[in-house]
Amino acid sequence: MKKSVLVVGAGPVGLTMAAELARFKIPLRIIDKALARTDKSKALAVWARTLELLDRAGCADAFVATGLKAETVSISRGDELIARVSLTSVDSPFNYLLLIPQSESERLLEAHLQSLGGKVERGVELTGFSDLGTSVSCSLRHADGSAESFEADWLIGCDGAHSLVRGRLGLPFEGDTLATHFILADVHVAGLNFPGNELVMFWHADGAVVFFPIAPGRYRIIADIGNSPQHDPDLEEVRRIVNGRCPPGITLSNPIWLAGFGINERKVENYRSGRIFLAGDAAHIHSPAGGQGMNTGMQDAINLAWKLALVEHGDAKPALLDSYSDERSEVAKQILSDSGRMTRVAMVENHFMQNLRNFVAHRLLGFSGVQHAMADRLSEITIGYPHSQLNTGSSKNLKGPKPGERMLAEKPFGAGNTPRFALIAADSAEAQTMLQRHARLLEPALRPAEAPGIWLVRPDGYVAARAGADDWPIIEGCLTKIDLAPVS
Ligand SMILES: Cc1cc2nc3c(=O)[nH]c(=O)nc-3n(C[C@H](O)[C@H](O)[C@H](O)COP(=O)(O)OP(=O)(O)OC[C@H]3O[C@@H](n4cnc5c(N)ncnc54)[C@H](O)[C@@H]3O)c2cc1C
């Protein structure tokens, strides 16, 4: 049996990948060696940009209906509020942080995949593979011990931090392991004097404690424990830390999950090797500060899926696939640096530096401009591909998003079952010629321009080209780079 794509791993990234490919009618298999979905709440944060991208696929509503909307992040020292950052300023239909246990995110993604005809094969492990140049020969082991050979056109390793795919490709996973360890507790909390939809962080001389709301009265607590050996805490230890670092009166009960973890900050340089791709934790891992890991991985999957679909359908040149690693590796570098900085700021040990940090944070985050910039960055709406090889033109005099920047529209870009670029321009003979010439890449109709100029927008909502109202050669140049078979 031969199918186009083998997705290895049914975590949030593999499920997003499979669902996007299924939406674009690409035959696929998705396997996971685990017999069941995770029941752990692991990644809680789903940020605005991820929800916008899921919205194109029609599955953001289910997430929003299931999660808890946090609209504010506060930082305190004891009873003294250092800063409060509102997320409502974020220019997105999803101007909040959605908190939803990873187990629920995976359930929703799997249901979405099923609605598109896909099915996770559980208890099936990838044990080896070989890139034959025109296909990938994969060795699978089933839960009953039986072996299977499977030939795929493409192999996508969404197999997590300990990725077999990455390991067998011999790709270095470069970076550091932090010396500090952390504890995590999903517990019921009473006496926390903050609104139930606020993410609450306490900075203390001994370390930081963060409360993420999960459901009314239920929180995820994360705290650093310095150089103490990594271990799973008991409830007593979590209580001691909370009592020592937070205002009095907070009580914890009914633990659901208690765990210890360390932090690695690593990534591979190249997400692609021939017919094999990496996405998600298989390609990059970072501190949970800022809650960006799963979001970044899901956005990897979304970036790759439309490109692979266009190439597999014979609409785009195979070189389009090279932009995946370039674009997403750049994003991961940024996320690694941001989340690393946030972790180190929260963990500053020197007393003088702690006071300085608190003072600077208080003053800086008192400015609404700084608050908005921080909220925009956290929600990942500022992510873009300014250096993408796909970008063309720029027309500095034009207002509106530049090549590589995200564009929002009432009718989302990239919805439906065929990934298509959108052409935003006033109607003209040249515009109609462009629609006909690149019919396999473009949405069939123009979208009206709100300002003078022409925009070519990718199926993931990022601008590929921007040109003055008559500058059609720029648009043609961009489409020619991608289009496999323009109509002459
Ligand atoms: C405590 C904790 C808190 C976190 N908090 C956040 C947060 O708030 N926000 C955020 O964005 N991120 C957070 N993260 C990170 C987040 O959980 C990961 O980024 C996310 O799970 C990565 O998803 P993934 O699909 O790439 O990998 P995984 O979720 O690890 O899934 C990989 C899957 O591949 C399967 N697999 C592995 N090898 C094979 C094989 N050879 N054959 C078949 N199947 C295989 C595994 O069984 C697994 O199901 C947190 C992580 C932890 C541990």
Side-chain angles (χ1 to χ4, degrees):
M1 185 172 52
K2 182 171 173 179
K3 286 203 180 184
S4 277
V5 183
L6 178 66
V7 179
V8 184
V13 176
L15 287 166
T16 305
M17 179 71 74
E20 283 289 273
L21 291 173
R23 179 162 77 96
F24 297 139
K25 310 260 179 270
I26 298 296
L28 69 106
R29 282 178 80 177
I30 172 168
I31 58 167
D32 200 298
K33 65 182 178 185
L35 290 170
R37 258 195 330 256
T38 182
D39 60 355
K40 301 286 187 292
S41 58
K42 294 197 280 186
L44 285 178
V46 181
W47 289 102
R49 185 59 186 148
T50 307
L51 289 169
E52 288 174 5
L53 289 164
L54 289 176
D55 197 33
R56 299 148 63 245
C59 78
D61 288 350
F63 273 76
V64 174
T66 310
L68 188 151
K69 294 179 190 171
E71 296 184 339
T72 325
V73 177
S74 69
I75 306 172
S76 300
R77 186 181 52 186
D79 285 325
E80 176 201 343
L81 184 72
I82 295 174
R84 182 171 260 140
V85 176
S86 167
L87 300 170
T88 55
S89 64
V90 172
D91 181 20
S92 166
F94 307 97
N95 56 347
Y96 44 79
L97 163 61
L98 193 73
L99 291 161
I100 173 168
Q102 187 170 323
S103 46
E104 285 295 278
S105 293
E106 290 185 18
R107 180 180 66 78
L108 295 172
L109 286 168
E110 194 167 343
H112 175 57
L113 172 64
Q114 273 168 4
S115 76
L116 294 161
K119 186 175 181 327
V120 178
E121 297 175 45
R122 297 200 180 274
V124 183
E125 180 176 3
L126 178 78
T127 53
F129 57 87
S130 167
D131 188 342
L132 306 176
T134 50
S135 65
V136 188
S137 164
C138 304
S139 307
L140 310 181
R141 184 167 53 221
H142 289 256
D144 62 5
S146 61
E148 180 194 346
S149 293
F150 179 73
E151 202 182 331
D153 287 335
W154 305 95
L155 171 66
I156 309 183
C158 306
D159 49 345
H162 304 287
S163 169
L164 173 123
V165 178
R166 185 188 67 233
R168 292 286 165 93
L169 287 173
L171 296 175
F173 206 29
E174 278 164 5
D176 295 315
T177 302
L178 262 59
T180 304
H181 293 125
F182 295 78
I183 54 124
L184 161 167
D186 275 5
V187 284
H188 287 84
V189 176
L192 182 66
N193 235 344
F194 286 84
N197 63 351
E198 189 155 319
L199 194 157
V200 183
M201 192 181 312
F202 292 102
W203 283 347
H204 183 273
D206 293 345
V209 180
V210 190
F211 290 79
F212 299 82
I214 301 181
R218 182 181 161 198
Y219 284 81
R220 150 81 55 79
I221 298 174
I222 291 188
D224 59 290
I225 52 167
N227 298 334
S228 309
Q230 185 177 326
H231 64 278
D232 292 347
D234 57 18
L235 186 59
E236 268 322 301
E237 180 180 358
V238 187
R239 281 182 175 139
R240 260 199 318 277
I241 291 173
V242 167
N243 289 341
R245 302 184 192 176
C246 306
I250 299 173
T251 55
L252 313 182
S253 60
N254 303 333
I256 296 152
W257 184 35
L258 298 166
F261 66 97
I263 292 182
N264 279 285
E265 296 179 321
R266 296 175 186 277
K267 71 180 276 297
V268 291
E269 193 51 41
N270 199 341
Y271 291 19
R272 177 181 185 187
S273 168
R275 296 195 150 262
I276 301 157
F277 297 92
L278 294 174
D281 276 19
H284 48 79
I285 46 170
H286 16 91
S287 155
Q292 314 277 302
M294 180 181 75
N295 288 264
T296 307
M298 288 168 74
Q299 291 180 38
D300 291 344
I302 286 162
N303 183 297
L304 178 56
W306 68 264
K307 294 173 180 173
L308 199 50
L310 281 176
V311 169
E312 275 292 282
H313 285 311
D315 296 334
K317 294 175 184 163
L320 176 64
L321 296 172
D322 292 334
S323 64
Y324 164 67
S325 179
D326 289 351
E327 292 180 354
R328 295 309 299 171
S329 178
E330 196 64 32
V331 169
K333 259 183 219 155
Q334 188 63 54
I335 300 275
L336 242 84
S337 140
D338 282 0
S339 60
R341 194 177 312 121
M342 275 186 266
T343 310
R344 286 169 182 85
V345 165
M347 288 173 2
V348 163
E349 283 180 4
N350 175 290
H351 194 61
F352 170 77
M353 293 303 286
Q354 286 177 345
N355 284 336
L356 182 67
R357 169 199 65 189
N358 297 353
F359 174 76
V360 171
H362 178 67
R363 294 301 290 264
L364 271 182
L365 291 170
F367 294 108
S368 63
V370 177
Q371 275 201 23
H372 290 181
M374 182 172 162
D376 286 356
R377 192 135 176 146
L378 279 171
S379 56
E380 300 199 350
I381 64 161
T382 53
I383 282 180
Y385 307 119
H387 308 299
S388 172
Q389 55 194 264
L390 302 181
N391 294 351
T392 314
S394 143
S395 272
K396 294 199 169 52
N397 300 333
L398 288 177
K399 292 200 175 108
K402 299 190 206 47
E405 289 181 358
R406 143 189 178 271
M407 190 182 248
L408 276 185
E410 221 158 272
K411 182 181 155 216
F413 299 106
N417 293 329
T418 351
R420 289 287 177 256
F421 286 63
L423 195 52
I424 301 176
D427 200 2
S428 66
E430 288 99 326
Q432 291 304 325
T433 305
M434 201 64 60
L435 287 182
Q436 283 163 21
R437 191 165 151 68
H438 299 287
R440 291 167 67 159
L441 278 190
L442 293 172
E443 289 179 354
L446 294 174
R447 293 191 185 212
E450 283 172 14
I454 315 168
W455 278 264
L456 179 67
V457 185
R458 309 165 11 154
D460 53 4
Y462 294 94
V463 174
R466 178 175 88 162
D470 299 320
D471 223 344
W472 284 101
I474 288 192
I475 305 299
E476 173 63 26
C478 186
L479 286 165
T480 304
K481 271 197 287 189
I482 302 164
D483 202 341
L484 182 68
V487 180
S488 49

